[in-house]
Amino acid sequence: MSGDVTVISGPSGVGKGTIVRALASAYPQVWVSISATTRPPRPGEQDGREYYFVSDAEFDELVATDGLLEWAQVHGAARYGTPLAPVLAAVDADRRVLLEIELQGSRQVRRRLPGARYVFIAPPDAETLLARLRGRGTESEEQVRRRLQTAQTELAAAGEFDHVVVNDELAASVAELVELLGL
Ligand code: 5GP
C-alpha cells in the first residue's frame, strides 16, 4: 500500500483530535480514519462518528481476521484499532489519509508503512497537558493518573517522529500541518 498516509500521534489530552477535525473540515481531500474501540462512548459521542464502539468479542474478531492495520491497548484498559479496509479504500480514492493514534499503534504502522509521514503533537509544557487531562472532567482520578503515566512515556518518544508540532495555539498547529502535508 502506498498513497499519502499521515500518522498523528502524541499524548492523550494534547489536542490532536481537535487539530485533526479542524484540518479535515477545512480540506475535503483529507480523510480521517475512524477507529474501532472497546471503550464505552463518552456523553455526546456517536457510533460511527468518533469511533466504532465494539464489544470485546467483536474486537477479537477484527484482530483474528487481520481486519486492523494496527491496534493497541491504551491506559491498560480499552483496545483501539484502525480498520484496514477503509484505509485501503481511501488510499485508492487518492484521499489524504490521517490516522490519529497513540504511540504503540504508530510504531506498528511504521513497520508496515515506512513511507508514511509521522507527526508528533506535543504540549507547550507538562502543566498545560495536566490541566487539559484534568479539564476533560469525564475521568476518575485513577484514570487521569494512568493517562499521565502514558503521556510521560509518549512524550519521551517524540524523537521517533519525522516532525513535532507544538500545540500552543490551534490555528498555528493546523497551519503547520497544512504545510507538512502540502495541502
Ligand atoms: P480516547 O479514549 O481519549 O478517545 O483515546 C485514547 C487514546 O487512544 C488516544 O491517544 C488516541 O489517539 C488513541 N487511539 C484512538 N484510536 C486509536 C487507534 O485506532 N489505534 C491506536 N493505537 N490508538 C488509538
Side-chain angles (χ1 to χ4, degrees):
M1 177 172 71
S2 54
D4 190 291
V5 178
T6 303
V7 176
I8 305 218
S9 210
S12 176
V14 79
K16 51 193 194 297
T18 312
I19 296 172
V20 165
R21 276 194 300 277
L23 192 70
S25 67
Y27 295 88
Q29 65 270 48
V30 169
W31 178 83
V32 184
S33 163
I34 300 171
S35 302
T37 182
T38 60
R39 89 148 159 71
R42 296 196 184 110
E45 287 183 336
Q46 265 176 37
D47 187 43
R49 192 179 64 187
E50 284 80 9
Y51 285 104
Y52 297 109
F53 296 99
V54 301
S55 66
D56 270 315
E58 286 168 327
F59 201 96
D60 287 343
E61 179 71 16
L62 282 170
V63 173
T65 55
D66 280 332
L68 299 176
L69 172 61
E70 60 73 37
W71 70 272
Q73 188 170 29
V74 180
H75 311 306
R79 289 179 291 170
Y80 298 76
T82 303
L84 179 58
V87 171
L88 294 175
V91 164
D92 266 355
D94 279 335
R95 304 288 297 277
R96 313 297 298 270
V97 174
L98 287 193
L99 309 180
E100 192 243 284
I101 60 178
E102 53 66 74
L103 180 63
Q104 309 165 66
S106 79
R107 287 174 173 157
Q108 292 169 45
V109 179
R110 198 191 272 281
R111 285 196 289 273
R112 291 179 79 165
L113 302 176
R117 198 182 281 111
Y118 293 85
V119 182
F120 188 86
I121 311 288
D125 53 72
E127 287 73 37
T128 311
L129 184 65
L130 178 64
R132 285 185 193 156
L133 280 175
R134 291 196 186 286
R136 183 135 60 188
T138 51
E139 283 99 18
S140 68
E141 272 302 304
E142 168 60 18
Q143 280 170 321
V144 171
R145 202 187 54 74
R146 264 208 233 141
R147 276 172 189 273
L148 282 174
Q149 228 164 42
T150 310
Q152 253 155 13
T153 311
E154 297 227 335
L155 284 174
E160 292 175 25
F161 288 76
D162 306 328
H163 310 279
V164 176
V165 171
V166 177
N167 186 25
D168 226 333
E169 204 252 315
L170 176 63
S173 300
V174 172
E176 253 187 83
L177 272 176
V178 167
E179 177 99 345
L180 283 176
L181 272 74
L183 288 167

